Every structure is written in C-alpha cells, then in structure tokens.
Amino acid sequence: MSSANFNNTNASARPWFERLDRIDRRWIFLLMFLAVSGPILWIGVTGKTLPEAPTMAARAVFEEIDHLPAHSLVLISFDYDPASAGELQPMATSLVRQCAAKNLRMVFIALWPLGNQVAQQTIQDVIRDDYPALKEGDDFVNMGYQAGNEAVMKLLLTDFAKAFPKDSRGEATSNIPMLKDVKMASNFPLLISVSAGYPGSKEWVQYVISAKNDEMNFVTGCTGVSAPQLYPYFPQQIAGLLGAIKGAAEYESMVNASLAVDGVATAPKYLQAQRRMGPQLVAHLLMVGLIIVGNVIFFARKRRGAA
Amino acid sequence: MKRIIPMWIAIIGGFAMMLSSFVPLAESAGEMFADVFNVVAAIAFVLGAGSLAKQHLEKLSRRDAGWGYSIITLGSFIITLIIGMLKIGIHPNPIFPQAAYSGSNDSEGSAWSWIYEYMITPLTSTMFALLAFFVASAAFRAFRAKNTEAILLLVTAFIVLLGRTFAGVVLTGWFPDWASGLRLENLSIYVMQVFNTAGNRAIMIGIALGVAATGLRILFGIDRSWLGGGDA
Amino acid sequence: MTRQGKTWLIIGAVFVALLVARGMIGQGLGRVYVKRSEVIVKLPASSTSAATISWQEWKQVPPLEFDAAQKANPAQTEISFSWPRTIGLWLAAFFTLAIFSFLYADNPFYKIAESLVVGVSAAYWGVIGFWDTLVPKMFGALTPGLVKSLVQPSLLDPENMQQISMVFALILGVMMLWRLLPRGGWISAWPLAFIVGVTAGLKIVSHVESDLMAQAAATMKPLVVSVTDASGAINIWASWWASVANVLLVVGVICCLAYFFFSVQHKGVVGGAARVGIWYLMITFGASFGFTVMGRIALLAARVEFLFDDWLWLIDPNHFRGL
Amino acid sequence: MRITHKVPRRIFTNQSWKCVANFLFMVMCCASAFAFETRGAGHDNGTQNVVAQNVVAPNTATQNTNAPLVEPVNAASNFNTAATPTAKPTRPWFNMEKLWLLLWIVFIGAAVTVSVWLAKRGRPIRIRRIAALEAVDNAVGRATEMGRSILFVPGIQDMDNIQTVAGLTMLGRVAKTAAEYDATIEVPTCRSLVMEAARDTVRTSYLSAGRADGFSADRISYITDDQFGYVAHVVGSMVREKPATCFYMGCFFAESLIFAETGNAIGAIQIAGTAESSQLPFFVAACDYTLIGEEFFAASAYLSGEPAQLGTLRGQDIGKFAVGVLIVLGVLASTILVMAPNSAAVGALLGGLQKVLGG
C-alpha cells in the first residue's frame, strides 16, 4: 500500500532503529501470516497439540461438573448459532462429553433459533456416537428452541413445563420420565450456557442466577468479544467461565486427561480447541515481540535525541 | 415550513414513544416501531439500489477509469437480485408443497446458497480476517511508552496478551501459591474484574447521559442540524 | 515493467508452480463430492394435478465416503463428483487470496473481488429484506390471503394493530420513495424525522434505565469486605484483596466520571481526578485490545484452514480424507 | 436557518421558549399518565377497567378478544387468579415500577432545560477543551490545502441507532466547515436511509454556508448493507483516492481497525468518535484523535458554539454530578453497614438509594 517505501534512497545512512521504525508494514503482515499458517500446517501434519495449563476459571468449570453426583440434572442452554461455532463448538462438545461420561442427566434447551440445530449436532457427535447407552428421555432430552429471550428465562424460574411444553421430538414434557420431578429452573443444581451474545450468559445471570444463586450454580462458555463483560460476575454469580478458544482448550485438555484410556488416541473431534491454540500462541508471541521491538526503537531514538 | 413540520413530527413521535415506556398498555409500542422501521428500511432499499445503479451506470457511460469493474458490480447485483427475488431453483417446502414460494432460499444445493457459500462467505470473512494483520501493525506502531497513558495502555495489553497463552503459564506459573494472584493469567482476570469494569461502567454512565442530552436536544428542537428539507 | 509489476509476476509464477506441483502429488487438490437423495412429497388431496411431486437433493459428503462407495460398487451413482461446487470451492479460494493480496498493494484481483462483493451483498440484503421482512410482516398483514397461498400457509391471521402499523409503515415507505419523483421530494424528510424522533425517545429511556441507573446501582459497593472461609473464620488476605478491588473500582468509576465533565475546567481536584480517570480508561482499552486479539487471530486461522484443508488438501484435521 | 447565537442578550428567544414549552409538555404527559394511574387505583376502579380492557384487548396475547362477549363464564375461568370478572387482572395506566426511571428522565430534562435557559440569558459557559474537536477545522483545512477530499463514515448502523443520528449531526457541522473551506466531502453509507438522511444534512449545510452550488448528491452514496462488503469498498477507495482527512463518527464494530489502519497507511489525519466501547481501544490506538463515549455525543453541541447547545452540556454535567453523589453516598452507606450491620438508619438510607437507582 505504501509504494513510497520502495525507493528509500539513503536508507543505509540512517541508524538501525530509524530503519526498523520505518520498516514497511507488509513485513509485519508477512510475519503474522507465517505465525498463523506455520502452526496450522505443523499441527495439521503431525497431529500434535500444545500442552495446556488450566487457569482457575476453566478449572472451576471442570470441578463444578465433576463434583455432581451421578444422575444429577443439568440444564444446558445452547445460545449460539453456526456463525460462532468456530469458537464455541469445542466447548459445547467437551461440556457434553464430560456430562455424558459422568452419567449426568442432561436437558438441552436453545434460546437462539439456530441453537437447536447445533444442539442436535452435538448430541449426535458426542452422545449418540460415543455414549450410545444413554437413552433419550431417560438420560438426556433436547427441548429445542423457544422464542422469547429473557421471557423464557423468567418463565423457567417458575414453571419449566410452561416454558418448554414439549421436547424437540414433540413429546409432551409431562410424559418425559427424567423431567418428572422438574418443576422449575432451581431443580437443576447446575446450569450451563454456551453463549455467543444476546440472549446469553449475561441474561442468565441477571434473570435466573441472581434470583437463585444459592440453589443452583452456573458455568458458562463465551466468545472472546463478550468475555470482558462476564468477568465481573466471576466467581460470585458465574462459578466457572470459559473465555474464547483459550478457555475451551484448557477445559478440553482437562476433560481429555480425565477420560484418557491408555493406548487409545483421543478422537480428532475432541481436540478441536487445542489444535486452534497453536496459531494463537505463536501469533500472541509475535505481537508481544512487536510491542517490545517498538519500544526498543522508541528508547533508542530517545537516547539518541537526548545525546 | 418544510423544516417546521418534520421537527414537530420528530418531537411528537419522540415524546409519545418515551411515554409509551411507562404505560403498560402501550408497552409493545417499541416492538411495533421496530417492525415499522424494518419495513420502511426494506422499502428504502429501492433508493439504495437506485443510487448504486446510477453511480455505476454513470461510470460506464463516461468510460471512467475502471469502468470494467462497474460492469462486474452491476452484473453481479442484478443476477443475485433476480435469483433471490424469484427464488430460482428453489423447491417448495415439503410441508406446504402447494405454495409455490414456500421453500427457503437457503436450502442446500440452490443457486442462492451457492452464492452465499462460495462468494459472500469467503469474501466477507477474509475481509474480517484482515484484522489479524492490522492488530499486529497497530500494536507495533501505537504501543510505545511515550507517556503515562501510553505506558498503561501498553502494559495492560502486554499482560493480557501473555496471560491468554501458554507462554504466560511458562513465565509465571512457578510463582508460589501465596503469590498466585501475580501469575499472568490471574493478573489478567484481575485487570478485567476491577479496572475494566470501572472504566466500562463510567463510559456507560457517560453514554447514557450523552444519549439523553442528544435525544433531548432533538426533542426540544435545539439541535436541528440533522434536519433536511431545503429552505432554512 | 515497474518493480511492483515484476514482484507481482514472480509471486504469481511461484504460486502457480507450487499449485501445479501440489496437484500432482498424493490425492491432488480440492474437490467436492455430493450424495443424491430423492424427495417425494404428497400434494394435498384437493389438488387436481399429479398426487405427488418429487425432486432430487444433493448433500455434500466427505471424500472418504466417495472412496468407500466406489470401492464397494464402482458403478454407483449415488455419490458423485460435483462440478458446480468444486468450481465454487476454487472461486472461494481465489476470492480469499484476492482479498489477502490487498495487504501487499491495491491490485486488479482485489478490485474484482471488491466489485463483486459490493454487487452481490447489496442484492443479498435487498432480497433478505424482501423475503424476511416485507413478505411476512407487511404483505402478511395487508394481503394475508396472497401470502398464505403463495409463501407461508401457516401464517397467523394478522391482528388489527398489526395491520394499522403496517399501513402506517407503507405510508412512510411511500413518502421515502417520493424522492424518486421529480416534484415534492421534501416529503421524504417526514418519515426520516419520525424515525429520528422515535429513536431519540426510545433510546433516552432505555439508556437511562440500563446504563445509567443499573450501572450506578452496581457501583454502590462497601469499601471494606470480609471474606469468610468454609469454616467460618475470616480470611484476612482474601478480605484484603476483595476490599482493595472494591476501593479501586469505586475510585475508578468516580474518576472516569470526572474526566467526562465538560463545563468544569480540568484543574485542581477535578483535574487530578480526571487524570486518574484517563489512566483507568487506558487500562480498560489495553485490556480490551489484548482480549480481542485472540478472536481476530482465530478468524485468520479459519481462513488459513480453509485454504490448507478444503482447497489444497494439505492437512486433514477432521480425517475427512482418511490421511 | 436562524442564527441564534448572535442575540445572546435577549432573554426569551423563540427557541428557549420552545425548549421550556417542550419540557412542560413532557412533564404534563408524564404527570397525566401518573395521575390516571393513582386515581384509577383509588376511586373509579370499575370504569377504568372497562376502558382498559377495551383498549388493550386487540393487542394482548393473554386475553382472548371475543371470549368475554360470547362465553363470559369460561373466559373468566381461564384466569388462574380470579373467579369473578371484576377481579380480572387489568393493566394499569402507569407502571409504578418505573417511577424512578421517569423521575430520572424528568430530572435530566429539567437540568438541560434550566441550563439552556440560563445560557440563553447570557450566563457564560466555559467548556473544557476537547482536543479532537479543536482539530476539526485544521483537518478540514488540510484537505483543502492538499487538494484532496474528506472521507466521512457515519458508522455502519441504520437510522434507528442514536449513534448514527449523532454521527449525522456531526456530519452537518463538518460539511458546513468543508463548504466554507471549499473542500469536497465523500460520504459512503451502509444503509439506504442513512444515505437519504446524510444527503439532506449535507445539502442543508451547504445551503447555510451559502454554497448551494457546491453540493453534489452523488458524493453521498449507498454501497451495500453488508458490513464487510462495505468495508471492502471503503478501504479500496481510500487507497485509491487518498483522502487527506478521515472522520469515523457513529456506531462501529470490527471494521474500526481496518479503517483506521488503512487511513494511517495513506497518511490521513483521522478523527474518530463512537460510543461502542468495544471499538474504542482500536480507534484510540490507531487514530490521531478519538471522541470517547460521551464526548462523541457532546461533539455536535461543542462545535456549534451556540449557547443553547452548550447549555445542554452543562445539563449533562449536572446529571453526572448527581450520579456521582449518589454513588458516594451509597458506597459510604454500604461500608458503614458492613462495619455496623445493625444500624437501621443506614440500612434504610442504602435501601432508599438503591430504590432511586431502580434496584
């Protein structure tokens, strides 16, 4: 874009930091491209991923689910659509996997119109493929999408069956065995939301968790853009928080480690997030390096100016 | 006169809407306005399309530099419009086979979804992806310790950037438990919880007052610079 | 030839050479396979024409399934190679590279991509506006019979209020379009004025409620907090940190508010507070910047994965081609 | 256009009367709704209910319009709460839960009205310097000197976003300066309605600058509704036409940094303003000047220099001061409450404060 940089006549006469400061920004672009594409290629070819050290927010998610006794009821809300699946699907997959492995009874709902579709896909990929012993209606049920945003949340507080009168198969809520004792949201000891925006985690906190904080816990996974708005609620209202692909990778590695079987490689669908952390690490290091170089230039120039 | 009437339309509409928020009978007025607005905006697309066509037809007729690109824009616009408006190649919805236009444009295998998947998605999402390059060049140029403000900006960004990867864990993960609050990943959470919350809260309060004052300037007829209408 | 022109030529030549080389090795380059299925739908009994209509649908399947099907029965036609989708895939790759090329310099490929995306997307949103807004909302309210017979038999009968508001919307819309006529274009200022006024009225209420009042209420935190352990004893360190956090939060909000004062000169106490306020704002911005970087890099990674996985078949993270 | 700031000594100008009248109108509307509510609750309950039902019925989902006429008994039994028709749930005229919200709005309205009135009476208002706005004239002048155009992006949202409206008021000011300096201004828009509104605004600005002949509607064009389609076009034309000055004023999302970095690469002076807090960091990092949140909404008033408009800024400050005082009181009260949990008076104070803020 800046063709002027091509004909720097007396470039060699300038001190090194001046030359570095005027570097054509296209070199930075090239470095960024390599920083992202290199790891993708390397991880894609070798299948290796980077280790993860879970932070407290991610560890809290794992432990909240891990502490629940078997057959506890869990309400899982799919508040996203395929557009944000890149960031959120790995979380949803691992969350459902941990719940299924712990033999918890899962109730899926969706507050985004396309959330039902991603929920079905996740049920297919995780429960039907890998935990075929779990029976729909007894161990898990998908209640589908319900329009109304916060209104649905408020209704859930008082009357579950009214908010979701039937499941996605068309079965009436009253006929579903696992929902026999469910009257309202607080019958679920744990609420999980995978959220891409409105309505999502923030609304769950405002309308449901604030009212029932002592009866039910809330863990959530969200996109990077919405994470800053949710941190103020952690750990009081939000017991565990997965922020963007980083949080997903940490949590995914914990779930994989807890379910690992010797001699059997983890299926690629359970490594999505960790695969995506490779380019993140290198690109972040590049950014950090660029900031350092920028400041080295700044101070070198300042010293020269002062001398 | 041409400016007085629109001003009063704005004033009456605005106050009525403000009032409706307090009257349970009219609670849905806001939603109704959203519907009305969407319909007006959809109708106004004709104006946008007219502007687009005029702009490129003029370029073509004048043979301006790059008129060939105008052919591409106009051609793709017209073809997409025809395919979408007429739902070309779309089968009816299996639930309502008797209604000829009941099928959705998005059904897999249609010309429309081909356009979406192979043209709109790659073009727009690659444009979006350019941001990864621009954050790097902006960070290189702007994050320099020129003064206190810049130092704070740069140090916070630095902490969060490192705290969000494995590198942060490697650098500060060995800190003992009593100093665990100083580990980069925890420090970045602390920054988010305290400083970010405080800053954003004040910005939001300020914006609310700014919106109120801007709205009142319009509704009190003090600011009329947005009003068109020709004669002053 | 200019230096830039030469650079373009060299980049292009190297790229094509690499592409050809890639195409000759292993499984070759990106192709799309589809699986055919028949859809048969019964028409309602009242219809006089044929009792059923049918059409074929094609769904995309991984190349692995094609290989398996070919192995089982080389003459099968259920899963086949799709020309239109393969061309689409290559076009998508071309567009991706064309947009990336803008980072180097403006060039004809970018201009083609830009012209296309403007034309296609303008029409795209126009069509969405027509089928998703005008048809169900306006025509659905004003001519429900027509919409039911042609588009959406399940349409609910419109309520009176809905019809009134849609007539109103239609009038506003027509006033907007009046501009296209040679005379009386000023009338289009009326709907605009209505929209601006109503927006102002609505936003005053919603912002004061959710931003001003709610945020101020959330800031009323005690400066001293005592955190108790599970055993009931007071945890001194945790209490200390929680108290510091609250003090920092409250001070921050007040100082940032001071920064936004317009009618007071930033001198003395207000000046000092405003200065602390701008520090807080800078920390806020630095943190948001750092947090957003992750999402932006994920976007680039997705495009690069598209190029390497879907198009060049260099990597196969999902085991779609059985590498 | 009436130029009002030339007559500051007139106590009751037309405009200040209008402002006060509007405020009274607002108060009256609110008061009457409130009065209806309180009266309805106390005295003529029956008639109120009838009226309320007749008005409400067509528009509510919970009530069946025809049922009360045809089968009154069944209709009544549909409601869990009541057995007799007189006790049916009715909708009140005023939502008492929102009383404090209403009072806040009336308070801000009053603060603005009083400040405007005082300003019109000639009481001087000193507004602090806003660097980004001081730079506007120079930035426009630079474009004229360099013989290049000015780019103005009014955000990517439609007219139902107040930021777009604020961006357009700013456009009005910038276009007027541009007309006076004889600089060309390009406004690509992302929505058809914004294009129309921007054309009106710029046309008026050129007229009031006495340069009606210099206005060309074609420079304000619609590109596409698509976010990144729009971005692709705008950055493409930025690189080709190299505007000397770029303004980004309105509601922005991810495109903020694409614009700002491209503008930086072509060496343009960039002034940005938005209330979208997630995008502020990028504008702050990559633009020469940035209007942060509330400053953006104050910009048009600041640039106008008219006492009435500047008065509204004072009104905003009064609102901010009130919020600050409430926060300090609330913090003190809740701190005391932690140390002395049994203090009933402080508890009541805190409860009252939270009520004032809608809690």
Side-chain angles (χ1 to χ4, degrees):
Chain A
M1 260 170 260
S2 46
S3 55
N5 286 315
F6 271 107
N7 33 29
N8 280 341
T9 43
N10 56 347
S12 55
R14 293 204 186 97
W16 61 270
F17 52 83
E18 285 290 339
R19 264 181 291 151
L20 203 54
D21 192 34
R22 282 156 190 261
I23 186 179
D24 194 328
R25 63 177 193 154
R26 287 175 288 190
W27 288 111
I28 298 176
F29 295 162
L30 183 66
L31 284 177
M32 185 46 107
F33 186 77
L34 293 177
V36 170
S37 57
I40 289 180
L41 214 52
W42 187 76
I43 291 173
V45 172
T46 61
K48 284 181 187 154
T49 53
L50 292 162
E52 287 294 332
T55 52
M56 56 183 178
R59 204 175 303 138
V61 174
F62 181 85
E63 279 160 11
E64 280 298 328
I65 298 175
D66 203 48
H67 285 161
L68 289 176
H71 301 295
S72 299
L73 280 162
V74 183
L75 185 62
I76 306 180
S77 184
F78 277 69
D79 306 327
Y80 68 103
D81 58 14
S84 4
E87 261 184 294
L88 299 178
Q89 190 55 49
M91 298 178 191
T93 305
S94 291
L95 283 165
V96 174
R97 185 175 181 221
Q98 193 191 357
C99 291
K102 286 277 305 175
N103 211 353
L104 304 178
R105 289 182 292 165
M106 291 164 273
V107 178
F108 297 94
I109 59 174
L111 297 184
W112 282 42
L114 293 176
N116 182 37
Q117 183 188 325
V118 276
Q120 285 293 7
Q121 189 63 44
T122 315
I123 291 171
Q124 178 66 42
D125 286 350
V126 181
I127 301 181
R128 297 226 167 86
D129 283 2
D130 293 348
Y131 297 91
L134 299 182
K135 263 180 63 192
E136 184 158 13
D138 291 330
D139 301 299
F140 71 94
V141 63
N142 181 11
M143 307 305 291
Y145 162 71
Q146 199 56 256
N149 304 337
E150 305 97 321
V152 180
M153 297 183 184
K154 287 183 197 160
L155 202 53
L156 274 175
L157 272 180
T158 52
D159 195 339
F160 182 88
K162 210 168 176 182
F164 288 91
K166 54 182 198 270
D167 75 357
S168 61
R169 298 167 301 176
E171 186 74 55
T173 302
S174 51
N175 294 340
I176 298 171
M178 64 183 286
L179 295 176
K180 227 172 32 218
D181 300 327
V182 172
K183 294 277 171 296
M184 53 184 115
S186 51
N187 293 136
F188 295 91
L190 184 67
L191 166 68
I192 301 175
S193 162
V194 185
S195 140
Y198 171 86
S201 317
K202 202 171 165 189
E203 286 71 30
W204 280 115
V205 170
Q206 283 171 345
Y207 296 104
V208 177
I209 299 304
S210 308
K212 298 279 171 195
N213 207 359
D214 39 354
E215 290 165 62
M216 57 194 301
N217 282 336
F218 180 43
V219 297
T220 184
C222 64
T223 53
V225 180
S226 53
Q229 290 151 23
L230 296 178
Y231 271 103
Y233 299 116
F234 173 80
Q236 284 84 23
Q237 288 95 339
I238 297 179
L241 177 62
L242 303 176
I245 204 77
K246 161 82 173 149
E250 291 169 5
Y251 174 68
E252 192 182 81
S253 69
M254 291 176 78
V255 175
N256 286 349
S258 74
L259 297 176
V261 182
D262 278 342
V264 182
T266 312
K269 65 183 167 193
Y270 298 132
L271 288 169
Q272 289 174 59
Q274 290 174 80
R275 270 206 307 273
R276 295 197 174 129
M277 272 312 285
Q280 291 285 351
L281 172 68
V282 182
H284 272 74
L285 289 181
L286 173 68
M287 297 268 308
V288 166
L290 284 173
I291 294 177
I292 293 175
V293 171
N295 281 286
V296 168
I297 293 170
F298 175 75
F299 284 111
R301 201 197 253 164
K302 207 167 155 190
R303 182 177 293 174
R304 176 68 63 98
Chain B
M1 217 36 204
K2 282 179 186 169
R3 279 167 70 81
I4 298 296
I5 294 175
M7 193 181 79
W8 278 101
I9 291 177
I11 289 171
I12 293 169
F15 278 121
M17 221 25 107
M18 212 196 281
L19 203 61
S20 78
S21 317
F22 299 100
V23 180
L25 288 181
E27 240 170 13
S28 58
E31 286 156 37
M32 218 182 296
F33 169 70
D35 277 352
V36 169
F37 176 79
N38 287 337
V39 167
V40 175
I43 294 174
F45 173 72
V46 175
L47 294 169
S51 154
L52 189 94
K54 183 171 174 238
Q55 193 183 329
H56 289 282
L57 283 174
E58 275 177 2
K59 242 184 178 175
L60 263 177
S61 66
R62 284 199 308 257
R63 294 288 149 98
D64 277 356
W67 57 272
Y69 299 112
S70 291
I71 297 183
I72 298 180
T73 305
L74 271 182
S76 59
F77 179 75
I78 293 166
I79 292 171
T80 312
L81 205 59
I82 291 172
I83 290 176
M85 287 292 186
L86 303 181
K87 291 199 174 181
I88 287 177
I90 305 287
H91 300 290
N93 185 335
I95 306 170
F96 313 115
Q98 73 279 20
Y101 287 93
S102 61
S104 160
N105 256 329
D106 302 322
S107 39
E108 190 177 340
S110 65
W112 180 257
S113 67
W114 189 91
I115 288 175
Y116 182 75
E117 184 162 359
Y118 299 118
M119 294 177 85
I120 292 188
T121 305
L123 283 165
T124 57
S125 61
T126 312
M127 209 61 221
F128 199 178
L130 292 186
L131 273 172
F133 300 100
F134 290 139
V135 287
S137 62
F140 176 67
R141 207 186 54 251
F143 286 178
R144 298 193 181 176
K146 289 173 208 146
N147 49 35
T148 320
E149 286 86 27
I151 291 173
L152 288 169
L153 183 75
L154 123 90
V155 170
T156 328
F158 202 84
I159 291 174
V160 174
L161 273 174
L162 273 181
R164 300 294 292 161
T165 58
F166 188 64
V169 179
V170 172
L171 282 176
T172 57
W174 52 271
F175 281 18
D177 262 353
W178 58 267
S180 66
L182 293 175
R183 286 182 193 157
L184 276 177
E185 68 266 26
N186 295 339
L187 210 56
S188 64
I189 291 177
Y190 203 71
V191 167
M192 293 318 275
Q193 283 178 334
V194 177
F195 293 91
N196 197 48
T197 307
N200 269 328
R201 225 166 240 177
I203 292 177
M204 281 166 88
I205 293 174
I207 287 172
L209 284 162
V211 168
T214 303
L216 290 173
R217 274 201 290 276
I218 291 168
L219 297 188
F220 287 173
I222 300 173
D223 188 349
R224 286 177 284 174
S225 58
W226 57 275
L227 271 178
D231 56 347
Chain C
M1 190 179 258
T2 61
R3 180 167 170 176
Q4 204 163 350
K6 274 182 204 158
T7 319
W8 275 117
L9 200 68
I10 293 168
I11 293 176
V14 169
F15 187 75
V16 171
L18 282 174
L19 202 61
V20 171
R22 170 71 196 94
M24 312 238 250
I25 304 167
Q27 294 169 309
L29 290 162
R31 299 183 290 276
V32 181
Y33 296 93
V34 287
K35 188 176 185 175
R36 188 188 40 171
S37 61
E38 194 89 2
V39 179
I40 302 168
V41 177
K42 255 194 198 151
L43 283 176
S46 61
S47 176
T48 48
S49 57
T52 62
I53 50 170
S54 69
W55 62 83
Q56 291 181 330
E57 273 186 356
W58 287 274
K59 283 221 180 321
Q60 186 167 342
V61 293
L64 203 63
E65 276 187 38
F66 174 73
D67 291 343
Q70 282 294 91
K71 210 179 253 173
N73 173 18
Q76 63 91 23
T77 56
E78 200 191 2
I79 298 181
S80 58
F81 174 75
S82 165
W83 271 109
R85 291 192 200 198
T86 305
I87 292 172
L89 177 75
W90 280 72
L91 257 183
F94 167 74
F95 290 143
T96 304
L97 294 173
I99 300 273
F100 278 146
S101 73
F102 180 69
L103 291 169
Y104 181 72
D106 190 28
N107 64 74
F109 296 119
Y110 178 75
K111 287 183 193 166
I112 291 174
E114 179 201 318
S115 315
L116 259 175
V117 71
V118 168
V120 171
S121 66
Y124 179 84
W125 288 105
V127 169
I128 297 268
F130 178 75
W131 282 113
D132 292 0
T133 303
L134 283 188
V135 168
K137 292 255 159 70
M138 192 178 86
F139 292 114
L142 303 181
T143 57
L146 190 68
V147 174
K148 271 187 190 176
S149 68
L150 278 179
V151 187
Q152 198 185 341
S154 62
L155 185 83
L156 295 176
D157 279 324
E159 290 159 2
N160 287 337
M161 272 316 283
Q162 214 177 329
Q163 283 181 318
I164 292 168
S165 68
M166 283 303 127
V167 169
F168 185 60
L170 184 64
I171 293 171
L172 291 185
V174 170
M175 281 163 121
M176 275 311 308
L177 296 189
W178 208 271
R179 175 147 315 203
L180 296 173
L181 299 180
R183 289 174 58 92
W186 49 267
I187 200 129
S188 70
W190 294 14
L192 278 174
F194 176 76
I195 289 167
V196 169
V198 169
T199 302
L202 280 177
K203 300 291 162 163
I204 290 175
V205 175
S206 66
H207 277 270
V208 169
E209 184 174 24
S210 64
D211 290 353
L212 189 138
M213 293 167 69
Q215 296 299 322
T219 313
M220 289 187 185
K221 289 191 167 178
L223 297 180
V224 183
V225 187
S226 63
V227 181
T228 47
D229 285 337
S231 58
I234 290 180
N235 182 332
I236 294 187
W237 272 110
S239 305
W240 163 252
W241 278 114
S243 305
V244 168
N246 276 4
V247 171
L248 285 174
L249 181 77
V250 171
V251 168
V253 173
I254 301 279
C255 289
C256 290
L257 280 182
Y259 168 77
F260 286 119
F261 268 100
F262 297 114
S263 58
V264 182
Q265 296 298 314
H266 282 181
K267 285 177 197 151
V269 179
V270 179
R275 199 162 161 74
V276 176
I278 195 92
W279 292 346
Y280 266 88
L281 290 179
M282 286 300 150
I283 296 178
T284 307
F285 295 155
S288 300
F289 192 105
F291 240 89
T292 319
V293 166
M294 176 157 274
R296 304 307 186 225
I297 289 168
L299 295 167
L300 176 58
R303 290 325 292 163
V304 173
E305 269 182 25
F306 163 77
L307 289 178
F308 287 174
D309 183 8
D310 296 5
W311 180 46
L312 292 176
W313 285 14
L314 279 174
I315 56 172
D316 186 18
N318 296 311
H319 296 204
F320 279 163
R321 296 181 294 277
L323 269 181
Chain D
M1 189 170 175
R2 214 186 335 266
I3 299 168
T4 41
H5 59 269
K6 291 223 171 120
V7 281
R9 296 305 308 175
R10 259 181 68 190
I11 295 174
F12 301 121
T13 60
N14 249 347
Q15 212 180 25
S16 64
W17 271 120
K18 208 177 306 162
C19 179
V20 173
N22 273 328
F23 176 70
L24 290 177
F25 174 59
M26 175 173 111
V27 174
M28 262 165 52
C29 290
C30 302
S32 57
F34 184 63
F36 257 121
E37 163 59 16
T38 40
R39 197 159 53 90
H43 306 288
D44 40 10
N45 216 343
T47 50
Q48 283 286 316
N49 285 347
V50 174
V51 177
Q53 272 168 26
N54 287 345
V55 179
V56 173
N59 195 28
T60 47
T62 48
Q63 291 183 345
N64 188 337
T65 13
N66 298 325
L69 299 174
V70 187
E71 298 174 298
V73 182
N74 287 349
S77 64
N78 281 342
F79 296 102
N80 322 335
T81 47
T84 53
T86 45
K88 265 186 207 169
T90 55
R91 291 183 149 200
W93 280 96
F94 181 83
N95 187 347
M96 288 302 281
E97 285 173 12
K98 291 193 172 178
L99 178 62
W100 280 106
L101 172 62
L102 176 68
L103 291 180
W104 267 104
I105 291 171
V106 171
F107 169 70
I108 297 170
V112 168
T113 312
V114 170
S115 308
V116 169
W117 200 345
L118 287 177
K120 307 248 9 161
R121 287 187 63 177
R123 193 175 149 159
I125 297 182
R126 292 185 62 199
I127 300 293
R128 76 162 160 97
R129 223 178 124 256
I130 300 179
L133 297 175
E134 306 273 302
V136 167
D137 279 4
N138 281 336
V140 173
R142 181 176 185 258
T144 315
E145 276 168 29
M146 296 172 75
R148 296 210 203 135
S149 58
I150 298 166
L151 175 75
F152 192 105
V153 182
I156 63 155
Q157 290 287 293
D158 215 330
M159 291 302 289
D160 62 341
N161 189 311
I162 191 105
Q163 294 191 56
T164 311
V165 178
L168 287 180
T169 61
M170 186 72 186
L171 172 64
R173 307 285 170 206
V174 173
K176 196 170 169 209
T177 318
E180 284 160 0
Y181 281 62
D182 201 15
T184 48
I185 182 162
E186 302 269 348
V187 187
T189 68
C190 197
R191 308 284 152 151
S192 308
L193 284 174
V194 179
M195 175 188 79
E196 286 303 321
R199 283 182 174 174
D200 279 353
T201 308
V202 175
R203 186 185 294 119
T204 313
S205 298
Y206 270 74
L207 268 177
S208 68
R211 302 252 357 216
D213 51 320
F215 172 73
S216 157
D218 291 342
R219 295 214 187 90
I220 300 151
S221 54
Y222 166 79
I223 310 300
T224 164
D225 274 49
D226 192 86
Q227 184 183 10
F228 289 104
Y230 176 70
V231 175
H233 174 84
V234 174
V235 294
S237 64
M238 274 166 94
V239 168
R240 276 159 232 148
E241 280 157 33
K242 300 205 166 42
T245 306
C246 301
F247 289 94
Y248 314 112
M249 300 275 166
C251 182
F252 290 88
F253 295 106
E255 64 285 349
S256 60
L257 190 65
I258 305 185
F259 287 153
E261 274 295 292
T262 311
N264 194 284
I266 58 168
I269 290 258
Q270 306 193 88
I271 304 179
T274 185
E276 210 54 49
S277 55
S278 58
Q279 301 308 320
L280 281 168
F282 303 108
F283 279 143
V284 168
C287 289
D288 299 278
Y289 301 98
T290 307
L291 295 164
I292 299 168
E294 193 180 358
E295 292 178 330
F296 168 52
F297 290 109
S300 147
Y302 183 97
L303 284 182
S304 76
E306 294 166 21
Q309 300 235 30
L310 294 179
T312 61
L313 298 186
R314 165 75 56 84
Q316 250 164 287
D317 281 357
I318 296 173
K320 232 169 302 173
F321 186 72
V323 173
V325 168
L326 283 180
I327 290 179
V328 170
L329 282 178
V331 167
L332 288 179
S334 55
T335 310
I336 295 172
L337 214 56
V338 169
M339 308 220 250
N342 300 325
S343 164
V346 179
L349 173 67
L350 185 61
L353 286 170
Q354 266 160 355
K355 205 167 177 193
V356 170
L357 291 169

